[in-house]
Amino acid sequence: MAETLLNNEWNFVHEITLKVHTHDDVDQMRKEFLTLLQTLIRFDYASFYLEEEGKPARPVGVGLSREELEFYIRELEPIDPFRPLWSLLSDPKHSAIRVSDYVLNREIEETEYYQRTWKPKNIQYSLFAGLGYEGRPLGSLSLYRTGQGEEFSDKEILILNLLKSHLNLWLWKQRKPQILNQEFSPSLYALKKAYAVTDRELEVIDLWSKGLTDSEICQEISISKNTLKKHISNIFSKLSINNRVELLKRLKKPQG
C-alpha cells in the first residue's frame, strides 16, 4: 500500500491517539474515538463491539441506535457471514479490510444478513478491523457507507491501521487483569507477584503445569523453540530452580 498521509492528516492521527490513551472509560473512549475518526474517514454508520467470552458485547456506534446494535447480538450474529473474520483479523499484524476485497457484492446481497441489515439502510461499502492482542480477540470496529458514497480508499485503510494498533494496546491494558484472572489460577498469580514473572512467562508456566511438552507449548502460543528456551531460562533464574519438578513444587507452595 503506497499511500502516504498529509501533514494535517498526521496531526489528526496524533490527536486521536492522544485522546485514546488519556481515557480510562472504555465506552466513552470508543464514542469519542468514532466522533474524531470522522475527521479523517467519512462514514454513514459505525459499530464498535467488545469481545467478551467469545461473543460481541457492549456496543457503541454512529447512526445506529442502541436497540439496533443489541439486536445484532441477539438475532443477527449467527447469520453474519463476516463473523468468522473477527478472530482472523484480531491479529495485530493483520490489516483492516474492505469487505468487498474478500466477498463479491453480489454474494453479499444474496445473504439473509444483507437483506436484514445492509439493504434497509442502503449500505454498499464496509471497512472492518478486528481488534486483539497476543492472540486474544478484544473487539471489532466496522465502518459503513451507503450507495451514495464510494468505496473506502487505501489511504483510509492506512489511517485505520495506524489507529488500530493504539486501540489494541489500550483495550488490552484495560482488559488484561480481567482476562488473566480468568485464565490463570491463584497460585500462578501469587507466583507472578512474588517473583516478577512476566505474562508470557506465566503462560509458559501454566502450560507446563497442564502437562504440555515444549513442542506443544511453542505451537499453543506461537513462539519458536529458541524463544521458549529464553523464557525457561528466565523462569528458572527468577525462581532459583533447575527443573520442572521444582517448579511444580513451587506452585503448590504458598507465596509470601
Side-chain angles (χ1 to χ4, degrees):
M1 193 176 296
E3 294 288 343
T4 58
L5 301 186
L6 303 175
N7 286 337
N8 66 319
E9 292 171 328
W10 277 113
N11 290 338
F12 277 124
V13 168
H14 182 63
E15 179 183 346
I16 294 173
T17 57
L18 286 177
K19 289 289 186 180
V20 167
H21 290 295
T22 54
H23 266 287
D24 57 9
D25 181 275
V26 66
D27 293 336
Q28 288 302 318
M29 182 280 287
R30 290 181 295 151
K31 290 175 183 177
E32 186 166 358
F33 172 82
L34 290 175
T35 298
L36 292 172
L37 185 60
Q38 290 180 302
T39 62
L40 288 170
I41 302 176
R42 188 195 67 76
F43 51 87
D44 299 298
Y45 304 100
S47 64
F48 195 152
Y49 289 87
L50 299 181
E51 180 103 357
E52 295 182 355
E53 299 181 356
K55 300 280 288 183
R58 298 178 61 181
V60 300
V62 171
L64 299 169
S65 68
R66 182 77 180 188
E67 181 180 352
E68 288 175 311
L69 293 165
E70 294 285 357
F71 182 74
Y72 170 84
I73 298 173
R74 295 194 311 270
E75 302 289 339
L76 299 176
E77 185 208 0
I79 62 171
D80 182 355
F82 313 121
R83 184 66 172 93
L85 293 175
W86 284 36
S87 296
L88 170 66
L89 299 181
S90 64
D91 182 343
K93 298 176 183 177
H94 203 296
S95 172
I97 66 162
R98 288 177 291 248
V99 170
S100 61
D101 289 340
Y102 278 70
V103 185
L104 295 176
N105 283 341
R106 65 175 179 273
E107 294 176 347
I108 297 174
E109 292 171 4
E110 293 173 355
T111 65
E112 179 184 357
Y113 180 79
Y114 172 85
Q115 296 296 325
R116 297 178 65 179
T117 56
W118 287 29
K119 186 175 180 179
K121 295 185 179 298
N122 190 30
I123 292 173
Q124 292 293 323
Y125 311 108
S126 176
L127 181 59
F128 176 84
L131 302 171
Y133 194 82
E134 293 190 345
R136 296 177 176 88
L138 297 173
S140 68
L141 171 61
S142 297
L143 309 179
Y144 304 98
R145 283 179 182 159
T146 67
Q148 281 71 47
E150 57 185 15
E151 182 60 279
F152 291 94
S153 67
D154 287 350
K155 177 181 282 191
E156 288 167 330
I157 294 177
L158 172 61
I159 290 170
L160 191 56
N161 283 335
L162 291 171
L163 296 171
K164 176 177 181 279
S165 62
H166 291 275
L167 291 174
N168 287 334
L169 182 59
W170 190 93
L171 288 172
W172 170 242
K173 286 181 177 179
Q174 292 291 314
R175 298 280 307 283
K176 179 179 175 181
Q178 174 188 350
I179 291 173
L180 294 183
N181 185 52
Q182 293 170 348
E183 293 184 355
F184 298 128
S185 65
S187 60
L188 283 173
Y189 261 122
L191 204 69
K192 175 180 175 66
K193 183 177 180 181
Y195 298 99
V197 177
T198 68
D199 295 334
R200 184 58 101 182
E201 290 163 359
L202 207 63
E203 285 185 294
V204 171
I205 294 171
D206 180 49
L207 295 173
W208 259 357
S209 70
K210 293 174 180 175
L212 272 70
T213 65
D214 288 355
S215 295
E216 290 170 335
I217 291 173
C218 289
Q219 184 174 2
E220 180 72 19
I221 59 177
S222 302
I223 60 174
S224 68
K225 290 186 177 180
N226 285 336
T227 300
L228 178 61
K229 287 179 182 179
K230 291 178 183 178
H231 288 317
I232 293 170
S233 177
N234 290 338
I235 291 167
F236 285 1
S237 176
K238 290 178 180 180
L239 274 64
S240 300
I241 58 176
N242 298 303
N243 54 56
R244 292 194 194 194
V245 174
E246 292 181 53
L247 173 63
L248 294 176
K249 288 181 180 178
R250 190 66 60 85
L251 285 173
K252 295 178 182 178
K253 179 181 177 181
Q255 308 298 327

